[in-house]
Amino acid sequence: VTCHDARELFSAEIDGALGAGEAAGLQAHLAGCPECRRELARFRATVAVLHSVEPLRAPAGFVDRVLEAARPPSWTERLRRWLVSPLALRGPIAVTVTALVAVTAVYLYERTPELQRGFEVAAPARPVEQLTRPVPLPPPAASAPQAIIPAPKETAPAKERATDRFRTMARPDPVAPPASPEPARDVPATPGEKKAAVEERNVVAGSAADASGREQVTARLAEEQRQLGAAQAPPREGERAERAAAGRAPVASPPAAARAKAAPDLAKRSATAASPPDVEGRLGVADRPAARQALVELAARLGGTALPASADARGDVVDLLVPAAAYPELVAGLVRLGRWAPVREPAALAGQVRVSLLLTD
Amino acid sequence: MPDEAALVERLRAGEPLAFEELVRRYQHRVFGVAVRMLRNTAEAEEAAQEVFLRVYRAVDEFRGEARLSTWLYAITSRVCLTRLGSGERRLVREGEETLTRLANGEATPGAALERSELAAALHRAIAELPEERRIVVVLRDLEGLAYEEIAGALDLPLGTVRSRLHRARMDLKEKLERFFP
């Protein structure tokens, strides 16, 4: 056993962990090596000092603090921790809540016709005529959003989609006859229909511009019509009949021709009526019977009257007769009732004004 | 030990007083090891608290093959060595605070040895030991664990424990030699 080997056994020797052979070898070396004996003595002293160290004590209140930390947190504490939790946890929660709110909003919008109408009438675009002519303010109404100016159909494709959706959701009218096999389309497909659309636009523009502006617009639109006519196929028989029915309007007057093309139903009706209506237009409503009743009451309130029910095949036309002075108020009432889209609306009205309304969904 | 086994059973049953008894019984030992290892009383208290909370939540994992105290020492050692290796420790001048207090005898009033120069040198020498040696000498010479218990607590071979303990004691002897004849 060398000195190095002997000193490697010191620790185990002190702890009594040496085997019999190791212990005997160590003792034999120590007997002949005073230096290792001195080293072992120092080693023992070091360990003795270590063993004499007083144990440390935990600080006062340590037990209470541990028990407090181990206590389950109250609901308020859990809420507080949740609120101050890292963004990594709050992010997904916020996204989930936002998605739920969005889905709920869409669901409510789909299921609430009033909400859809409110969004539609709140569209920013205004028809030309309303840009050039002040819209009479409606009387105070219980439902404020309904007093908003309606958006023109031509400038609101989103509205068209919403209207289509609304049409599919609306309850079938128990009074009205079955829907026409070919409902009114707003997007013309054939050249003839494109021309009709242009003419319909002419009507709106023509009635909206002032005297000089109207002439310019009329000239421009007439040119547009000529271009369309050049590329247009020969009119069908039905269209010729419609044109013939609308023949009372001056041929040289594009707006008059447009009236006959753009609103065939109204044109037919105008042709068969004893006197043509002064104002024609579409009124999009959710409930036609209710709207019809409301129109009768509105006319009566304005000092006018509703003409007897029309023999129109679709049964969706309501004719009103109101004093010209009450016409602005009638328009305000129409706006409240639904989506009012005038097809023909002369700038100057006098005497009794006959208003022909085609109720649509 | 029978009382340890009974305490473990009460802990597993969720008896509130059992946990308090556990903390009161072992607080000084757990805290002592933490201070020796971390060399900072504030961090040592945090570590000791973490040890007891781990025991509280994982008492069902205690298989009863070792003594409860050994299990506590094992958790304490693991917590301290993890903290020492995490690099997220407070940037205090390591050991200085605790060493100063120990050298002045504040932590152990009444103990003549602790007030002596030798005591200050000893605490400083312990604090300067490498971590893997320090934990072995603390568990053996300050806490009195057997070799086998240390090997179990640190998950080390018995020979490694003996070797590290010997090296630690030799380091301490060399630093304290001036106090010995």
PDB file of all heavy atoms in Angstrom, chain B residues 124-148:
ATOM      1  N   ARG B 124     -16.995  28.797   4.374  1.00  0.00           N
ATOM      2  CA  ARG B 124     -16.517  29.301   3.089  1.00  0.00           C
ATOM      3  C   ARG B 124     -15.966  28.171   2.239  1.00  0.00           C
ATOM      4  O   ARG B 124     -16.203  28.111   1.034  1.00  0.00           O
ATOM      5  CB  ARG B 124     -15.442  30.367   3.337  1.00  0.00           C
ATOM      6  CG  ARG B 124     -15.029  31.102   2.076  1.00  0.00           C
ATOM      7  CD  ARG B 124     -14.088  32.260   2.383  1.00  0.00           C
ATOM      8  NE  ARG B 124     -14.743  33.316   3.167  1.00  0.00           N
ATOM      9  CZ  ARG B 124     -14.494  33.600   4.432  1.00  0.00           C
ATOM     10  NH1 ARG B 124     -13.585  32.904   5.096  1.00  0.00           N
ATOM     11  NH2 ARG B 124     -15.134  34.565   5.054  1.00  0.00           N
ATOM     12  N   ALA B 125     -15.267  27.279   2.894  1.00  0.00           N
ATOM     13  CA  ALA B 125     -14.689  26.147   2.164  1.00  0.00           C
ATOM     14  C   ALA B 125     -15.776  25.252   1.598  1.00  0.00           C
ATOM     15  O   ALA B 125     -15.686  24.773   0.459  1.00  0.00           O
ATOM     16  CB  ALA B 125     -13.771  25.348   3.101  1.00  0.00           C
ATOM     17  N   ILE B 126     -16.832  25.038   2.381  1.00  0.00           N
ATOM     18  CA  ILE B 126     -17.945  24.224   1.870  1.00  0.00           C
ATOM     19  C   ILE B 126     -18.571  24.910   0.662  1.00  0.00           C
ATOM     20  O   ILE B 126     -18.875  24.282  -0.354  1.00  0.00           O
ATOM     21  CB  ILE B 126     -19.002  24.007   2.981  1.00  0.00           C
ATOM     22  CG1 ILE B 126     -18.425  23.136   4.100  1.00  0.00           C
ATOM     23  CG2 ILE B 126     -20.259  23.366   2.405  1.00  0.00           C
ATOM     24  CD1 ILE B 126     -19.346  23.036   5.312  1.00  0.00           C
ATOM     25  N   ALA B 127     -18.756  26.211   0.790  1.00  0.00           N
ATOM     26  CA  ALA B 127     -19.407  26.952  -0.290  1.00  0.00           C
ATOM     27  C   ALA B 127     -18.583  26.920  -1.562  1.00  0.00           C
ATOM     28  O   ALA B 127     -19.139  27.027  -2.665  1.00  0.00           O
ATOM     29  CB  ALA B 127     -19.657  28.394   0.147  1.00  0.00           C
ATOM     30  N   GLU B 128     -17.278  26.774  -1.418  1.00  0.00           N
ATOM     31  CA  GLU B 128     -16.423  26.798  -2.600  1.00  0.00           C
ATOM     32  C   GLU B 128     -16.235  25.428  -3.243  1.00  0.00           C
ATOM     33  O   GLU B 128     -15.574  25.319  -4.269  1.00  0.00           O
ATOM     34  CB  GLU B 128     -15.056  27.373  -2.207  1.00  0.00           C
ATOM     35  CG  GLU B 128     -15.123  28.862  -1.896  1.00  0.00           C
ATOM     36  CD  GLU B 128     -13.823  29.409  -1.315  1.00  0.00           C
ATOM     37  OE1 GLU B 128     -12.885  28.607  -1.096  1.00  0.00           O
ATOM     38  OE2 GLU B 128     -13.739  30.626  -1.076  1.00  0.00           O
ATOM     39  N   LEU B 129     -16.792  24.430  -2.615  1.00  0.00           N
ATOM     40  CA  LEU B 129     -16.665  23.093  -3.211  1.00  0.00           C
ATOM     41  C   LEU B 129     -17.452  23.019  -4.517  1.00  0.00           C
ATOM     42  O   LEU B 129     -18.494  23.675  -4.666  1.00  0.00           O
ATOM     43  CB  LEU B 129     -17.213  22.034  -2.247  1.00  0.00           C
ATOM     44  CG  LEU B 129     -16.365  21.672  -1.029  1.00  0.00           C
ATOM     45  CD1 LEU B 129     -17.171  20.743  -0.105  1.00  0.00           C
ATOM     46  CD2 LEU B 129     -15.069  21.001  -1.458  1.00  0.00           C
ATOM     47  N   PRO B 130     -16.994  22.209  -5.432  1.00  0.00           N
ATOM     48  CA  PRO B 130     -17.818  21.954  -6.630  1.00  0.00           C
ATOM     49  C   PRO B 130     -19.163  21.360  -6.209  1.00  0.00           C
ATOM     50  O   PRO B 130     -19.245  20.636  -5.215  1.00  0.00           O
ATOM     51  CB  PRO B 130     -16.979  20.945  -7.422  1.00  0.00           C
ATOM     52  CG  PRO B 130     -15.587  21.104  -6.937  1.00  0.00           C
ATOM     53  CD  PRO B 130     -15.698  21.506  -5.489  1.00  0.00           C
ATOM     54  N   GLU B 131     -20.177  21.680  -6.973  1.00  0.00           N
ATOM     55  CA  GLU B 131     -21.544  21.308  -6.583  1.00  0.00           C
ATOM     56  C   GLU B 131     -21.710  19.814  -6.350  1.00  0.00           C
ATOM     57  O   GLU B 131     -22.367  19.389  -5.383  1.00  0.00           O
ATOM     58  CB  GLU B 131     -22.526  21.774  -7.666  1.00  0.00           C
ATOM     59  CG  GLU B 131     -22.606  23.293  -7.771  1.00  0.00           C
ATOM     60  CD  GLU B 131     -23.182  23.746  -9.100  1.00  0.00           C
ATOM     61  OE1 GLU B 131     -23.694  22.888  -9.839  1.00  0.00           O
ATOM     62  OE2 GLU B 131     -23.103  24.946  -9.407  1.00  0.00           O
ATOM     63  N   GLU B 132     -21.137  19.023  -7.269  1.00  0.00           N
ATOM     64  CA  GLU B 132     -21.367  17.572  -7.146  1.00  0.00           C
ATOM     65  C   GLU B 132     -20.678  17.012  -5.903  1.00  0.00           C
ATOM     66  O   GLU B 132     -21.116  16.002  -5.343  1.00  0.00           O
ATOM     67  CB  GLU B 132     -20.914  16.844  -8.419  1.00  0.00           C
ATOM     68  CG  GLU B 132     -19.424  16.759  -8.634  1.00  0.00           C
ATOM     69  CD  GLU B 132     -18.868  18.016  -9.324  1.00  0.00           C
ATOM     70  OE1 GLU B 132     -19.629  18.997  -9.493  1.00  0.00           O
ATOM     71  OE2 GLU B 132     -17.672  18.024  -9.682  1.00  0.00           O
ATOM     72  N   ARG B 133     -19.604  17.649  -5.435  1.00  0.00           N
ATOM     73  CA  ARG B 133     -18.960  17.217  -4.185  1.00  0.00           C
ATOM     74  C   ARG B 133     -19.673  17.830  -2.994  1.00  0.00           C
ATOM     75  O   ARG B 133     -19.788  17.204  -1.932  1.00  0.00           O
ATOM     76  CB  ARG B 133     -17.489  17.632  -4.166  1.00  0.00           C
ATOM     77  CG  ARG B 133     -16.652  16.926  -5.227  1.00  0.00           C
ATOM     78  CD  ARG B 133     -15.205  17.347  -5.159  1.00  0.00           C
ATOM     79  NE  ARG B 133     -14.425  16.783  -6.265  1.00  0.00           N
ATOM     80  CZ  ARG B 133     -13.141  17.034  -6.494  1.00  0.00           C
ATOM     81  NH1 ARG B 133     -12.472  17.841  -5.667  1.00  0.00           N
ATOM     82  NH2 ARG B 133     -12.501  16.486  -7.511  1.00  0.00           N
ATOM     83  N   ARG B 134     -20.081  19.048  -3.161  1.00  0.00           N
ATOM     84  CA  ARG B 134     -20.703  19.746  -2.028  1.00  0.00           C
ATOM     85  C   ARG B 134     -21.971  19.032  -1.562  1.00  0.00           C
ATOM     86  O   ARG B 134     -22.187  18.866  -0.370  1.00  0.00           O
ATOM     87  CB  ARG B 134     -21.018  21.192  -2.430  1.00  0.00           C
ATOM     88  CG  ARG B 134     -21.467  22.032  -1.257  1.00  0.00           C
ATOM     89  CD  ARG B 134     -21.350  23.504  -1.540  1.00  0.00           C
ATOM     90  NE  ARG B 134     -22.370  23.987  -2.468  1.00  0.00           N
ATOM     91  CZ  ARG B 134     -22.136  24.543  -3.642  1.00  0.00           C
ATOM     92  NH1 ARG B 134     -20.885  24.695  -4.049  1.00  0.00           N
ATOM     93  NH2 ARG B 134     -23.102  24.968  -4.399  1.00  0.00           N
ATOM     94  N   ILE B 135     -22.796  18.609  -2.519  1.00  0.00           N
ATOM     95  CA  ILE B 135     -24.048  17.972  -2.112  1.00  0.00           C
ATOM     96  C   ILE B 135     -23.771  16.667  -1.358  1.00  0.00           C
ATOM     97  O   ILE B 135     -24.469  16.328  -0.396  1.00  0.00           O
ATOM     98  CB  ILE B 135     -24.971  17.725  -3.339  1.00  0.00           C
ATOM     99  CG1 ILE B 135     -26.328  17.175  -2.896  1.00  0.00           C
ATOM    100  CG2 ILE B 135     -24.310  16.786  -4.351  1.00  0.00           C
ATOM    101  CD1 ILE B 135     -27.113  18.114  -2.044  1.00  0.00           C
ATOM    102  N   VAL B 136     -22.702  15.971  -1.753  1.00  0.00           N
ATOM    103  CA  VAL B 136     -22.397  14.696  -1.093  1.00  0.00           C
ATOM    104  C   VAL B 136     -21.923  14.942   0.343  1.00  0.00           C
ATOM    105  O   VAL B 136     -22.388  14.288   1.289  1.00  0.00           O
ATOM    106  CB  VAL B 136     -21.335  13.916  -1.895  1.00  0.00           C
ATOM    107  CG1 VAL B 136     -20.903  12.666  -1.116  1.00  0.00           C
ATOM    108  CG2 VAL B 136     -21.889  13.518  -3.252  1.00  0.00           C
ATOM    109  N   VAL B 137     -21.041  15.904   0.519  1.00  0.00           N
ATOM    110  CA  VAL B 137     -20.521  16.148   1.865  1.00  0.00           C
ATOM    111  C   VAL B 137     -21.590  16.765   2.773  1.00  0.00           C
ATOM    112  O   VAL B 137     -21.616  16.528   3.983  1.00  0.00           O
ATOM    113  CB  VAL B 137     -19.251  17.032   1.796  1.00  0.00           C
ATOM    114  CG1 VAL B 137     -19.590  18.508   1.650  1.00  0.00           C
ATOM    115  CG2 VAL B 137     -18.373  16.821   3.030  1.00  0.00           C
ATOM    116  N   VAL B 138     -22.468  17.553   2.194  1.00  0.00           N
ATOM    117  CA  VAL B 138     -23.564  18.119   2.990  1.00  0.00           C
ATOM    118  C   VAL B 138     -24.477  17.006   3.479  1.00  0.00           C
ATOM    119  O   VAL B 138     -24.847  16.956   4.669  1.00  0.00           O
ATOM    120  CB  VAL B 138     -24.359  19.158   2.161  1.00  0.00           C
ATOM    121  CG1 VAL B 138     -25.691  19.487   2.823  1.00  0.00           C
ATOM    122  CG2 VAL B 138     -23.539  20.424   1.977  1.00  0.00           C
ATOM    123  N   LEU B 139     -24.846  16.109   2.557  1.00  0.00           N
ATOM    124  CA  LEU B 139     -25.762  15.029   2.957  1.00  0.00           C
ATOM    125  C   LEU B 139     -25.090  14.077   3.944  1.00  0.00           C
ATOM    126  O   LEU B 139     -25.739  13.573   4.861  1.00  0.00           O
ATOM    127  CB  LEU B 139     -26.234  14.262   1.712  1.00  0.00           C
ATOM    128  CG  LEU B 139     -27.147  15.045   0.740  1.00  0.00           C
ATOM    129  CD1 LEU B 139     -27.532  14.178  -0.448  1.00  0.00           C
ATOM    130  CD2 LEU B 139     -28.400  15.556   1.452  1.00  0.00           C
ATOM    131  N   ARG B 140     -23.805  13.848   3.767  1.00  0.00           N
ATOM    132  CA  ARG B 140     -23.131  12.886   4.649  1.00  0.00           C
ATOM    133  C   ARG B 140     -22.735  13.511   5.986  1.00  0.00           C
ATOM    134  O   ARG B 140     -23.087  13.014   7.052  1.00  0.00           O
ATOM    135  CB  ARG B 140     -21.877  12.341   3.943  1.00  0.00           C
ATOM    136  CG  ARG B 140     -20.979  11.477   4.808  1.00  0.00           C
ATOM    137  CD  ARG B 140     -21.689  10.230   5.296  1.00  0.00           C
ATOM    138  NE  ARG B 140     -20.921   9.552   6.350  1.00  0.00           N
ATOM    139  CZ  ARG B 140     -21.439   8.790   7.275  1.00  0.00           C
ATOM    140  NH1 ARG B 140     -22.746   8.589   7.312  1.00  0.00           N
ATOM    141  NH2 ARG B 140     -20.663   8.197   8.183  1.00  0.00           N
ATOM    142  N   ASP B 141     -21.973  14.584   5.948  1.00  0.00           N
ATOM    143  CA  ASP B 141     -21.368  15.106   7.177  1.00  0.00           C
ATOM    144  C   ASP B 141     -22.232  16.120   7.909  1.00  0.00           C
ATOM    145  O   ASP B 141     -22.058  16.329   9.106  1.00  0.00           O
ATOM    146  CB  ASP B 141     -20.003  15.726   6.869  1.00  0.00           C
ATOM    147  CG  ASP B 141     -18.979  14.678   6.480  1.00  0.00           C
ATOM    148  OD1 ASP B 141     -19.100  13.536   6.983  1.00  0.00           O
ATOM    149  OD2 ASP B 141     -18.100  14.970   5.657  1.00  0.00           O
ATOM    150  N   LEU B 142     -23.121  16.790   7.208  1.00  0.00           N
ATOM    151  CA  LEU B 142     -23.979  17.769   7.888  1.00  0.00           C
ATOM    152  C   LEU B 142     -25.363  17.178   8.179  1.00  0.00           C
ATOM    153  O   LEU B 142     -25.977  17.530   9.179  1.00  0.00           O
ATOM    154  CB  LEU B 142     -24.127  19.028   7.043  1.00  0.00           C
ATOM    155  CG  LEU B 142     -22.830  19.776   6.709  1.00  0.00           C
ATOM    156  CD1 LEU B 142     -23.132  21.079   5.975  1.00  0.00           C
ATOM    157  CD2 LEU B 142     -22.019  20.063   7.980  1.00  0.00           C
ATOM    158  N   GLU B 143     -25.851  16.300   7.295  1.00  0.00           N
ATOM    159  CA  GLU B 143     -27.178  15.742   7.497  1.00  0.00           C
ATOM    160  C   GLU B 143     -27.148  14.297   7.983  1.00  0.00           C
ATOM    161  O   GLU B 143     -28.174  13.777   8.413  1.00  0.00           O
ATOM    162  CB  GLU B 143     -27.980  15.828   6.193  1.00  0.00           C
ATOM    163  CG  GLU B 143     -28.140  17.255   5.672  1.00  0.00           C
ATOM    164  CD  GLU B 143     -28.878  18.164   6.657  1.00  0.00           C
ATOM    165  OE1 GLU B 143     -29.767  17.654   7.380  1.00  0.00           O
ATOM    166  OE2 GLU B 143     -28.566  19.359   6.742  1.00  0.00           O
ATOM    167  N   GLY B 144     -25.993  13.656   7.863  1.00  0.00           N
ATOM    168  CA  GLY B 144     -25.841  12.337   8.463  1.00  0.00           C
ATOM    169  C   GLY B 144     -26.431  11.182   7.680  1.00  0.00           C
ATOM    170  O   GLY B 144     -26.747  10.144   8.255  1.00  0.00           O
ATOM    171  N   LEU B 145     -26.604  11.326   6.396  1.00  0.00           N
ATOM    172  CA  LEU B 145     -27.139  10.226   5.608  1.00  0.00           C
ATOM    173  C   LEU B 145     -26.061   9.153   5.384  1.00  0.00           C
ATOM    174  O   LEU B 145     -24.857   9.465   5.324  1.00  0.00           O
ATOM    175  CB  LEU B 145     -27.633  10.721   4.243  1.00  0.00           C
ATOM    176  CG  LEU B 145     -29.096  11.146   4.152  1.00  0.00           C
ATOM    177  CD1 LEU B 145     -29.340  12.386   5.008  1.00  0.00           C
ATOM    178  CD2 LEU B 145     -29.509  11.422   2.712  1.00  0.00           C
ATOM    179  N   ALA B 146     -26.491   7.918   5.251  1.00  0.00           N
ATOM    180  CA  ALA B 146     -25.582   6.826   4.938  1.00  0.00           C
ATOM    181  C   ALA B 146     -25.198   6.877   3.466  1.00  0.00           C
ATOM    182  O   ALA B 146     -25.874   7.529   2.650  1.00  0.00           O
ATOM    183  CB  ALA B 146     -26.253   5.492   5.274  1.00  0.00           C
ATOM    184  N   TYR B 147     -24.122   6.186   3.137  1.00  0.00           N
ATOM    185  CA  TYR B 147     -23.686   6.175   1.745  1.00  0.00           C
ATOM    186  C   TYR B 147     -24.818   5.720   0.807  1.00  0.00           C
ATOM    187  O   TYR B 147     -25.031   6.273  -0.274  1.00  0.00           O
ATOM    188  CB  TYR B 147     -22.488   5.221   1.585  1.00  0.00           C
ATOM    189  CG  TYR B 147     -21.159   5.767   2.094  1.00  0.00           C
ATOM    190  CD1 TYR B 147     -21.092   6.819   2.996  1.00  0.00           C
ATOM    191  CD2 TYR B 147     -19.963   5.206   1.663  1.00  0.00           C
ATOM    192  CE1 TYR B 147     -19.884   7.289   3.459  1.00  0.00           C
ATOM    193  CE2 TYR B 147     -18.733   5.672   2.109  1.00  0.00           C
ATOM    194  CZ  TYR B 147     -18.713   6.723   3.014  1.00  0.00           C
ATOM    195  OH  TYR B 147     -17.498   7.186   3.482  1.00  0.00           O
ATOM    196  N   GLU B 148     -25.458   4.656   1.238  1.00  0.00           N
ATOM    197  CA  GLU B 148     -26.515   4.094   0.390  1.00  0.00           C
ATOM    198  C   GLU B 148     -27.659   5.088   0.193  1.00  0.00           C
ATOM    199  O   GLU B 148     -28.236   5.176  -0.896  1.00  0.00           O
ATOM    200  CB  GLU B 148     -27.055   2.804   1.009  1.00  0.00           C
ATOM    201  CG  GLU B 148     -26.079   1.645   1.011  1.00  0.00           C
ATOM    202  CD  GLU B 148     -25.032   1.789   2.116  1.00  0.00           C
ATOM    203  OE1 GLU B 148     -25.165   2.704   2.967  1.00  0.00           O
ATOM    204  OE2 GLU B 148     -24.059   1.009   2.129  1.00  0.00           O
TER     205      GLU B 148
END
